[in-house]
Amino acid sequence: MADSNVTIVGNITRDPEIRYTANGAAKASFGVAVSRRWQNRNSQEWEEQTSFFNVVCWREMAENVAESLGKGSRVIVTGRLEQRSWETENGEKRSVVEIVADEIGPSLRWATAQTTKNDRRGGSGGFDGGGGGGGGAPSRTPAGDAGGTSYDDYGEEPF
């Protein structure tokens, strides 16, 4: 099955919330509002529509997001759509579609930013994209997992 890749540009609606799995993997989640504005050809009135998206990121990126971005920050998010389902304590079935981020950065259209490169935080490969040995592209998935990282890879229920 092909990935559903998306890129959005919008404002963070709530401060990133960071949590850690039992295995120690960081997970940050936050909301992004994306507004579209256009002029109605018939009435010449300006109209606006806002869509809200939940964004999730893992490991070092999650920690960087939690340290660097907050509510109101304008960001560019690139990632894949992922649907997860669960059952509530009352037996009700729930489902949500989230953007699992591959890259997150500040939008520089109306702002400036300063970046600081972090030291590698251990691990082999992972999401840090740092240099090192083999010269190949950095691994974005756990060894042997060609399909991407999911909640089940961490042995956890969704937060």
Side-chain angles (χ1 to χ4, degrees):
M1 181 174 149
D3 283 343
S4 298
N5 294 312
V6 296
T7 299
I8 61 170
V9 179
N11 294 340
I12 294 180
T13 60
R14 61 184 185 276
D15 286 334
E17 178 182 352
I18 192 162
R19 293 187 181 183
Y20 293 86
T21 66
N23 296 335
K27 175 195 170 195
S29 58
F30 57 96
V32 175
V34 178
S35 295
R36 185 171 76 93
R37 190 172 181 221
W38 68 95
Q39 190 171 24
N40 184 313
R41 290 183 181 159
N42 296 328
S43 67
Q44 300 303 310
E45 297 288 323
W46 285 98
E47 297 183 21
E48 186 171 324
Q49 176 185 12
T50 303
S51 299
F52 297 90
F53 299 92
N54 291 322
V55 178
V56 173
C57 55
W58 290 94
R59 295 189 172 108
E60 287 83 7
M61 186 188 325
E63 292 174 342
N64 291 342
V65 163
E67 289 177 26
S68 305
L69 300 172
K71 181 177 178 179
S73 298
R74 189 157 183 85
V75 292
I76 302 167
V77 178
T78 300
R80 68 182 186 279
L81 297 176
E82 191 170 289
Q83 181 177 3
R84 62 183 175 94
S85 301
W86 68 97
E87 195 169 304
T88 67
E89 294 175 359
N90 300 332
E92 298 171 335
K93 294 185 182 211
R94 303 287 177 156
S95 179
V96 66
V97 175
E98 299 170 317
I99 299 172
V100 179
D102 291 324
E103 297 285 343
I104 300 172
S107 171
L108 301 180
R109 187 170 183 185
W110 291 296
T112 61
Q114 293 182 344
T115 59
T116 304
K117 184 173 180 170
N118 290 340
D119 293 333
R120 289 187 72 167
R121 297 182 186 175
S124 58
F127 292 96
D128 61 4
S139 170
R140 293 191 182 275
T141 60
D145 179 12
T149 304
S150 70
Y151 295 102
D152 292 337
D153 293 332
Y154 301 103
E156 295 292 319
E157 292 290 320
F159 299 90

